[in-house]
Amino acid sequence: MDLNSASTVVLQVLTQATSQDTAVLKPAEEQLKQWETQPGFYSVLLNIFTNHSLDVNVRWLAVLYFKNGIDRYWRRVAPHALSEEEKTSLRAGLITNFNEPVNQIATQISVLIAKVARVDCPRQWPELIPTLVESVKVQDDLQQHRALLTFYHVTKTLASKRLAADRKLFYDLTSSIYSFACSLWNHHTDTFLQQICAGDEAAAANSLERTLLSLKVLRKLTVHGFVEPHWNAEVMGFLHAIFERLKQFLECSRSIRAESICRDRLEKTVILFTKVLLDFLDQHPFSFTALIQRSLEFSVSYVFTEAGEGVVFEQFIVQCMNLIKMIVKNYAYKPSKNIEDSSPETLEAHKIKTAFFTYPTLMEICRRLVTHYFLLTKEELTMWEEDPESFTVEETGGDSWKYSLRPCTEVLFIDIFHEYNQTLTPVLLEMVHSLQGSTNMENTNAILIKDAVYNAVGLAAYELFDSVDFDQWFKNQLLAELQVSHDRYKPIRRRVIWLIGQWISVKFKSDLRPVLYEAICNLLQDRDLVVRIETATTLKLTVDDFEFRTDQFLPYLESMFTLLFQLLQEVTQCDTKMHVLHVLSCVIERVNMQIRPYVGCLVQYLPLLWKQSEEHNMLRCAILTTLIHLIQGLGADSKNLYPFLLPVIQLSTDVSQPPHVYLLEDGLELWLVTLENSPCLTPELLRIFQNMSALLELSSENLKNCFKIINAYIFLSSSEFLQMYAADLCRSFCELLKDITTEGQVQVLKVVENVLKVNPVLGPQMFQPLLPSVFRGIIDGERYPVVMSTYLGIMGRVLLQNARFFSLLLSQMACELGQEVDQILGNMIEMWVDRMDNITQPERRKLSALALLSLLPSLNSVIQDKFCGIINISVEGLHDVMTEDSETGTYKDCMLMSHFEEPKVTEDEEPPTEQDKRKKMLALKDPVHTVSLQQFIYEKLKAQQELLGEQGFHALMETVDTEIVAQLQEFLQVF
């Protein structure tokens, strides 16, 4: 591509590509895509985006195309890779001038230079770092800033490389530029502090931007540029200097206007200081040992004493708390139980921690956390009144503990309490003791303090197990507090029911459950919505608990379910509806069939909620989960829900519909339980299976459930189902087997095995295209035992239950392999006998014995030649299935089933589904469960004896090992 002639054309097409008119835009994008691999195209783009007189949008697009081209074509091994000559020219052009006036474009240029550096620096681009170092020294503000911005992005990218050779290069680079980076940071920091003291806020804001960038560079060099940074005096000097700089910056904040750019940048810089410390602690815990004392003193001083008043801000407090938490929890600082096994570095760090966390310090931290940071703020109380649902979402941890103050303080409290529980337990118990008795309703602060202390007791529940008699506390005080209906006492009602939820799985007597259920019923009728939502949460924890007993819960089921349903209708936010639905699902799941009398209202409401939640896929997921538990509870009665249920399944599992991305997993689960509990196959239920073909093509993690669904249809109504879908299924399976894991292969084969079990006459014909590969797998000695076992299960069904089809298959295989039928048969029997140990399921082992015995009686020389193996397998099968009757001393086949009995279900067991019943009825027709192996062997041997005569049969039996014959005779002695 000639630069001069091409520039005009490329510029014109780029201009068209910025158009809002798709008729102009699309052809331009196509043309640019074609040029991507043209030599010289990226040189033209470089000329365009470095020409400041051109339109900003065009230049922006040129930068983006250049950046994408680096990803695709810069490496030597890439298809259509750029030539070395062009790359050399581009590298030189990229660092000629650092004078881009537009911030967004400057950032993109810095990023693309970093992308090139990742591949080429320092070997092919040794001049990059020296050029950047020189450029950040210039006096021109714009050039200095752009060079510093690029310096940061290059450092960040090189620091992220993880191969050993790349790490070594970065260590070398760091050692060569670290002193300069430190002096650069100090220079810009000092300049900022001087300007802020002089009251020049505008100039200070510019200097602060450079301080921020140089600190970002230092962060990457310090954290990733040294193997053992504690041996480098400059590194440790910089890290110690951070604390002084932090104090200076925090004091500066007093004199900077709250909403100014300078204030915003100052807070970002303060946070970056703490990130340097946190990253260094994370990557180099032992090198950080020298900083433990100072970090703890600094953080505790600013967060837990008056020193921080007026200067700290929320995100800074969060970072300081994270620093304390990481030091407290760090495994590198915890000695082994056997002190002699601990390293000197660990012992030194532990010694510093122990010396710092004295009783007075721990007590002050604990008290301050509880009585200051745990207190509900004015903003939170206002939100409680004005937007209660949003308040509950915030309170349940809408944000990660790392970034939000309340979760962060709670996690710090838990970690410190766990580490120093012997010291802090008496402190917390004393706080609880001081709050016993009634609280003055007019004293809002006293109510908030009690709320905070109860919060602490809930968070520390596991640590307080031996120190708190929770049952007594519940009976003597907490229960009474739940009954205080005064509006101002609602924080305590909410907190107490939350507290019970925290203790329910820790220490709560089963005998007290009915009293708690009574209290929950009352609180679900509380005037305050937040209290009701919190009560629903505790109810979920209660029914989920290991010691939950249905008999205790049933007297309250109707009223609780009704109240929960009312709450579901009342709340309006998606998150809250999801939460209440989840509670309802848990209740339905635990009581199972007992829910049937009470679900009418929910069943009527769910279609409306589904319609209303069209734009809220996560809420629809919660509805699907509720439906799953509802179907399991309703059993066969779930058929009444089909007018709503089946369209929901249809939509959720249709991969051509956008919502399937969110709904598919739960939709498949719902489809499966619907089939398992369906009393019969309806035309609508059959029609939904049209979705399956596309699902099988996805070959996703949902494939396992797809196979379960296919099996469920087979058990539900094999003839109707297979008549309509067998051909499509067979095609899908043939495609799947070309590229599937061993586990997936077994799942496909199990479906075929189930088809043969349910429909032994038509099944082999319907899946005939799959059977030759099964046959080949057997005679070739399939190496995976689980696959071989399934192959033998399939062939056993064909041989035992459809001998005519087996004969046709044998002839087909002989023709395909160019061998005699008898030779093929002999190879199959030999491999079957040899690989019998691959079969672990008793049913399949008995099936193999029955199948091979079905070849008898026979005059065929090959079958007679393999007679010994057939008898060996038969005796193995007898050992598997025969149990001795202790009264009569005779043997009986333990797999025989004579009639269907409804199993008796205990309270803790789930009742059998309709599919369980169908499988039981199917077993009553299955030879494995209806034919006595003992009787079958006797009859087959008797028939063989009649066919060969006494002498011939005796000669045949002599081919069998005498020990096996003796075992056989013992099993057959009753005949």
PDB file of all heavy atoms in Angstrom, residues 786-808:
ATOM      1  N   VAL A 786     -15.652 -48.305  31.450  1.00  0.00           N
ATOM      2  CA  VAL A 786     -17.047 -47.863  31.605  1.00  0.00           C
ATOM      3  C   VAL A 786     -17.768 -47.880  30.257  1.00  0.00           C
ATOM      4  O   VAL A 786     -18.970 -48.179  30.181  1.00  0.00           O
ATOM      5  CB  VAL A 786     -17.089 -46.459  32.268  1.00  0.00           C
ATOM      6  CG1 VAL A 786     -16.493 -45.390  31.378  1.00  0.00           C
ATOM      7  CG2 VAL A 786     -18.501 -46.077  32.670  1.00  0.00           C
ATOM      8  N   VAL A 787     -17.032 -47.575  29.168  1.00  0.00           N
ATOM      9  CA  VAL A 787     -17.631 -47.624  27.820  1.00  0.00           C
ATOM     10  C   VAL A 787     -17.874 -49.079  27.432  1.00  0.00           C
ATOM     11  O   VAL A 787     -18.942 -49.428  26.921  1.00  0.00           O
ATOM     12  CB  VAL A 787     -16.729 -46.916  26.785  1.00  0.00           C
ATOM     13  CG1 VAL A 787     -17.335 -47.029  25.383  1.00  0.00           C
ATOM     14  CG2 VAL A 787     -16.537 -45.441  27.152  1.00  0.00           C
ATOM     15  N   MET A 788     -16.882 -49.936  27.689  1.00  0.00           N
ATOM     16  CA  MET A 788     -17.014 -51.353  27.351  1.00  0.00           C
ATOM     17  C   MET A 788     -18.195 -51.975  28.088  1.00  0.00           C
ATOM     18  O   MET A 788     -18.971 -52.751  27.516  1.00  0.00           O
ATOM     19  CB  MET A 788     -15.714 -52.087  27.719  1.00  0.00           C
ATOM     20  CG  MET A 788     -15.698 -53.540  27.275  1.00  0.00           C
ATOM     21  SD  MET A 788     -15.803 -53.678  25.460  1.00  0.00           S
ATOM     22  CE  MET A 788     -15.091 -55.299  25.193  1.00  0.00           C
ATOM     23  N   SER A 789     -18.349 -51.599  29.357  1.00  0.00           N
ATOM     24  CA  SER A 789     -19.468 -52.118  30.153  1.00  0.00           C
ATOM     25  C   SER A 789     -20.804 -51.760  29.510  1.00  0.00           C
ATOM     26  O   SER A 789     -21.722 -52.584  29.436  1.00  0.00           O
ATOM     27  CB  SER A 789     -19.380 -51.543  31.568  1.00  0.00           C
ATOM     28  OG  SER A 789     -20.532 -51.832  32.298  1.00  0.00           O
ATOM     29  N   THR A 790     -20.907 -50.524  29.015  1.00  0.00           N
ATOM     30  CA  THR A 790     -22.162 -50.077  28.392  1.00  0.00           C
ATOM     31  C   THR A 790     -22.372 -50.766  27.050  1.00  0.00           C
ATOM     32  O   THR A 790     -23.502 -51.138  26.700  1.00  0.00           O
ATOM     33  CB  THR A 790     -22.157 -48.540  28.214  1.00  0.00           C
ATOM     34  OG1 THR A 790     -21.592 -47.930  29.366  1.00  0.00           O
ATOM     35  CG2 THR A 790     -23.564 -47.998  28.021  1.00  0.00           C
ATOM     36  N   TYR A 791     -21.288 -50.939  26.275  1.00  0.00           N
ATOM     37  CA  TYR A 791     -21.383 -51.697  25.018  1.00  0.00           C
ATOM     38  C   TYR A 791     -21.970 -53.088  25.277  1.00  0.00           C
ATOM     39  O   TYR A 791     -22.876 -53.547  24.570  1.00  0.00           O
ATOM     40  CB  TYR A 791     -19.983 -51.871  24.401  1.00  0.00           C
ATOM     41  CG  TYR A 791     -19.440 -50.693  23.643  1.00  0.00           C
ATOM     42  CD1 TYR A 791     -18.081 -50.614  23.322  1.00  0.00           C
ATOM     43  CD2 TYR A 791     -20.263 -49.650  23.209  1.00  0.00           C
ATOM     44  CE1 TYR A 791     -17.557 -49.552  22.614  1.00  0.00           C
ATOM     45  CE2 TYR A 791     -19.751 -48.575  22.499  1.00  0.00           C
ATOM     46  CZ  TYR A 791     -18.393 -48.532  22.211  1.00  0.00           C
ATOM     47  OH  TYR A 791     -17.878 -47.472  21.504  1.00  0.00           O
ATOM     48  N   LEU A 792     -21.430 -53.758  26.288  1.00  0.00           N
ATOM     49  CA  LEU A 792     -21.877 -55.129  26.591  1.00  0.00           C
ATOM     50  C   LEU A 792     -23.316 -55.135  27.090  1.00  0.00           C
ATOM     51  O   LEU A 792     -24.065 -56.081  26.828  1.00  0.00           O
ATOM     52  CB  LEU A 792     -20.936 -55.766  27.616  1.00  0.00           C
ATOM     53  CG  LEU A 792     -19.490 -56.006  27.126  1.00  0.00           C
ATOM     54  CD1 LEU A 792     -18.603 -56.484  28.264  1.00  0.00           C
ATOM     55  CD2 LEU A 792     -19.471 -57.000  25.975  1.00  0.00           C
ATOM     56  N   GLY A 793     -23.709 -54.067  27.815  1.00  0.00           N
ATOM     57  CA  GLY A 793     -25.105 -53.952  28.253  1.00  0.00           C
ATOM     58  C   GLY A 793     -26.049 -53.855  27.066  1.00  0.00           C
ATOM     59  O   GLY A 793     -27.109 -54.504  27.027  1.00  0.00           O
ATOM     60  N   ILE A 794     -25.673 -53.046  26.059  1.00  0.00           N
ATOM     61  CA  ILE A 794     -26.507 -52.881  24.853  1.00  0.00           C
ATOM     62  C   ILE A 794     -26.576 -54.202  24.078  1.00  0.00           C
ATOM     63  O   ILE A 794     -27.660 -54.672  23.694  1.00  0.00           O
ATOM     64  CB  ILE A 794     -25.933 -51.754  23.961  1.00  0.00           C
ATOM     65  CG1 ILE A 794     -26.162 -50.396  24.621  1.00  0.00           C
ATOM     66  CG2 ILE A 794     -26.555 -51.784  22.560  1.00  0.00           C
ATOM     67  CD1 ILE A 794     -25.444 -49.245  23.940  1.00  0.00           C
ATOM     68  N   MET A 795     -25.397 -54.818  23.846  1.00  0.00           N
ATOM     69  CA  MET A 795     -25.384 -56.042  23.053  1.00  0.00           C
ATOM     70  C   MET A 795     -26.091 -57.182  23.792  1.00  0.00           C
ATOM     71  O   MET A 795     -26.732 -58.042  23.172  1.00  0.00           O
ATOM     72  CB  MET A 795     -23.929 -56.420  22.717  1.00  0.00           C
ATOM     73  CG  MET A 795     -23.790 -57.276  21.475  1.00  0.00           C
ATOM     74  SD  MET A 795     -24.690 -56.643  20.022  1.00  0.00           S
ATOM     75  CE  MET A 795     -23.891 -55.086  19.748  1.00  0.00           C
ATOM     76  N   GLY A 796     -26.010 -57.157  25.125  1.00  0.00           N
ATOM     77  CA  GLY A 796     -26.708 -58.168  25.924  1.00  0.00           C
ATOM     78  C   GLY A 796     -28.207 -58.073  25.725  1.00  0.00           C
ATOM     79  O   GLY A 796     -28.910 -59.098  25.610  1.00  0.00           O
ATOM     80  N   ARG A 797     -28.730 -56.836  25.686  1.00  0.00           N
ATOM     81  CA  ARG A 797     -30.179 -56.645  25.462  1.00  0.00           C
ATOM     82  C   ARG A 797     -30.586 -57.181  24.088  1.00  0.00           C
ATOM     83  O   ARG A 797     -31.616 -57.856  23.933  1.00  0.00           O
ATOM     84  CB  ARG A 797     -30.520 -55.148  25.534  1.00  0.00           C
ATOM     85  CG  ARG A 797     -30.441 -54.557  26.918  1.00  0.00           C
ATOM     86  CD  ARG A 797     -31.665 -54.867  27.733  1.00  0.00           C
ATOM     87  NE  ARG A 797     -31.444 -54.560  29.151  1.00  0.00           N
ATOM     88  CZ  ARG A 797     -32.204 -54.998  30.126  1.00  0.00           C
ATOM     89  NH1 ARG A 797     -33.232 -55.789  29.853  1.00  0.00           N
ATOM     90  NH2 ARG A 797     -31.955 -54.689  31.379  1.00  0.00           N
ATOM     91  N   VAL A 798     -29.806 -56.851  23.051  1.00  0.00           N
ATOM     92  CA  VAL A 798     -30.144 -57.286  21.689  1.00  0.00           C
ATOM     93  C   VAL A 798     -30.109 -58.814  21.604  1.00  0.00           C
ATOM     94  O   VAL A 798     -31.043 -59.451  21.104  1.00  0.00           O
ATOM     95  CB  VAL A 798     -29.175 -56.656  20.654  1.00  0.00           C
ATOM     96  CG1 VAL A 798     -29.472 -57.186  19.251  1.00  0.00           C
ATOM     97  CG2 VAL A 798     -29.271 -55.139  20.678  1.00  0.00           C
ATOM     98  N   LEU A 799     -29.031 -59.404  22.120  1.00  0.00           N
ATOM     99  CA  LEU A 799     -28.853 -60.859  22.034  1.00  0.00           C
ATOM    100  C   LEU A 799     -29.938 -61.604  22.808  1.00  0.00           C
ATOM    101  O   LEU A 799     -30.505 -62.593  22.318  1.00  0.00           O
ATOM    102  CB  LEU A 799     -27.460 -61.221  22.584  1.00  0.00           C
ATOM    103  CG  LEU A 799     -27.088 -62.702  22.661  1.00  0.00           C
ATOM    104  CD1 LEU A 799     -27.251 -63.398  21.311  1.00  0.00           C
ATOM    105  CD2 LEU A 799     -25.649 -62.852  23.152  1.00  0.00           C
ATOM    106  N   LEU A 800     -30.283 -61.128  23.992  1.00  0.00           N
ATOM    107  CA  LEU A 800     -31.241 -61.836  24.846  1.00  0.00           C
ATOM    108  C   LEU A 800     -32.679 -61.620  24.402  1.00  0.00           C
ATOM    109  O   LEU A 800     -33.479 -62.554  24.407  1.00  0.00           O
ATOM    110  CB  LEU A 800     -31.068 -61.357  26.298  1.00  0.00           C
ATOM    111  CG  LEU A 800     -32.031 -61.974  27.332  1.00  0.00           C
ATOM    112  CD1 LEU A 800     -31.829 -63.488  27.430  1.00  0.00           C
ATOM    113  CD2 LEU A 800     -31.839 -61.324  28.705  1.00  0.00           C
ATOM    114  N   GLN A 801     -33.004 -60.389  23.984  1.00  0.00           N
ATOM    115  CA  GLN A 801     -34.412 -60.062  23.780  1.00  0.00           C
ATOM    116  C   GLN A 801     -34.827 -59.895  22.315  1.00  0.00           C
ATOM    117  O   GLN A 801     -36.001 -59.724  22.027  1.00  0.00           O
ATOM    118  CB  GLN A 801     -34.755 -58.772  24.558  1.00  0.00           C
ATOM    119  CG  GLN A 801     -34.646 -58.967  26.072  1.00  0.00           C
ATOM    120  CD  GLN A 801     -34.973 -57.691  26.841  1.00  0.00           C
ATOM    121  OE1 GLN A 801     -34.094 -56.906  27.135  1.00  0.00           O
ATOM    122  NE2 GLN A 801     -36.247 -57.501  27.153  1.00  0.00           N
ATOM    123  N   ASN A 802     -33.841 -59.949  21.403  1.00  0.00           N
ATOM    124  CA  ASN A 802     -34.182 -59.840  19.980  1.00  0.00           C
ATOM    125  C   ASN A 802     -33.157 -60.631  19.169  1.00  0.00           C
ATOM    126  O   ASN A 802     -32.333 -60.062  18.443  1.00  0.00           O
ATOM    127  CB  ASN A 802     -34.211 -58.370  19.558  1.00  0.00           C
ATOM    128  CG  ASN A 802     -34.967 -58.153  18.258  1.00  0.00           C
ATOM    129  OD1 ASN A 802     -35.030 -59.051  17.418  1.00  0.00           O
ATOM    130  ND2 ASN A 802     -35.542 -56.965  18.085  1.00  0.00           N
ATOM    131  N   ALA A 803     -33.198 -61.949  19.311  1.00  0.00           N
ATOM    132  CA  ALA A 803     -32.199 -62.830  18.687  1.00  0.00           C
ATOM    133  C   ALA A 803     -32.189 -62.687  17.172  1.00  0.00           C
ATOM    134  O   ALA A 803     -31.134 -62.771  16.532  1.00  0.00           O
ATOM    135  CB  ALA A 803     -32.479 -64.285  19.080  1.00  0.00           C
ATOM    136  N   ARG A 804     -33.376 -62.440  16.584  1.00  0.00           N
ATOM    137  CA  ARG A 804     -33.463 -62.300  15.116  1.00  0.00           C
ATOM    138  C   ARG A 804     -32.653 -61.094  14.652  1.00  0.00           C
ATOM    139  O   ARG A 804     -31.893 -61.173  13.682  1.00  0.00           O
ATOM    140  CB  ARG A 804     -34.935 -62.150  14.711  1.00  0.00           C
ATOM    141  CG  ARG A 804     -35.152 -62.025  13.219  1.00  0.00           C
ATOM    142  CD  ARG A 804     -36.640 -61.974  12.878  1.00  0.00           C
ATOM    143  NE  ARG A 804     -36.835 -61.513  11.519  1.00  0.00           N
ATOM    144  CZ  ARG A 804     -36.821 -60.222  11.158  1.00  0.00           C
ATOM    145  NH1 ARG A 804     -36.626 -59.293  12.071  1.00  0.00           N
ATOM    146  NH2 ARG A 804     -36.989 -59.872   9.896  1.00  0.00           N
ATOM    147  N   PHE A 805     -32.804 -59.979  15.365  1.00  0.00           N
ATOM    148  CA  PHE A 805     -32.054 -58.784  14.980  1.00  0.00           C
ATOM    149  C   PHE A 805     -30.553 -59.001  15.198  1.00  0.00           C
ATOM    150  O   PHE A 805     -29.733 -58.557  14.399  1.00  0.00           O
ATOM    151  CB  PHE A 805     -32.519 -57.563  15.783  1.00  0.00           C
ATOM    152  CG  PHE A 805     -31.901 -56.268  15.314  1.00  0.00           C
ATOM    153  CD1 PHE A 805     -32.506 -55.530  14.309  1.00  0.00           C
ATOM    154  CD2 PHE A 805     -30.703 -55.811  15.843  1.00  0.00           C
ATOM    155  CE1 PHE A 805     -31.928 -54.357  13.847  1.00  0.00           C
ATOM    156  CE2 PHE A 805     -30.115 -54.641  15.395  1.00  0.00           C
ATOM    157  CZ  PHE A 805     -30.729 -53.903  14.392  1.00  0.00           C
ATOM    158  N   PHE A 806     -30.199 -59.729  16.280  1.00  0.00           N
ATOM    159  CA  PHE A 806     -28.782 -59.992  16.551  1.00  0.00           C
ATOM    160  C   PHE A 806     -28.171 -60.782  15.393  1.00  0.00           C
ATOM    161  O   PHE A 806     -27.041 -60.523  14.968  1.00  0.00           O
ATOM    162  CB  PHE A 806     -28.630 -60.767  17.861  1.00  0.00           C
ATOM    163  CG  PHE A 806     -27.203 -61.118  18.181  1.00  0.00           C
ATOM    164  CD1 PHE A 806     -26.343 -60.168  18.706  1.00  0.00           C
ATOM    165  CD2 PHE A 806     -26.711 -62.404  17.925  1.00  0.00           C
ATOM    166  CE1 PHE A 806     -25.016 -60.482  18.988  1.00  0.00           C
ATOM    167  CE2 PHE A 806     -25.394 -62.715  18.204  1.00  0.00           C
ATOM    168  CZ  PHE A 806     -24.547 -61.755  18.736  1.00  0.00           C
ATOM    169  N   SER A 807     -28.932 -61.730  14.861  1.00  0.00           N
ATOM    170  CA  SER A 807     -28.449 -62.544  13.743  1.00  0.00           C
ATOM    171  C   SER A 807     -28.199 -61.684  12.508  1.00  0.00           C
ATOM    172  O   SER A 807     -27.186 -61.824  11.817  1.00  0.00           O
ATOM    173  CB  SER A 807     -29.476 -63.640  13.448  1.00  0.00           C
ATOM    174  OG  SER A 807     -29.060 -64.414  12.359  1.00  0.00           O
ATOM    175  N   LEU A 808     -29.122 -60.738  12.249  1.00  0.00           N
ATOM    176  CA  LEU A 808     -28.952 -59.820  11.114  1.00  0.00           C
ATOM    177  C   LEU A 808     -27.729 -58.915  11.315  1.00  0.00           C
ATOM    178  O   LEU A 808     -26.971 -58.662  10.373  1.00  0.00           O
ATOM    179  CB  LEU A 808     -30.209 -58.957  10.948  1.00  0.00           C
ATOM    180  CG  LEU A 808     -31.482 -59.674  10.502  1.00  0.00           C
ATOM    181  CD1 LEU A 808     -32.687 -58.732  10.587  1.00  0.00           C
ATOM    182  CD2 LEU A 808     -31.323 -60.197   9.070  1.00  0.00           C
TER     183      LEU A 808
END
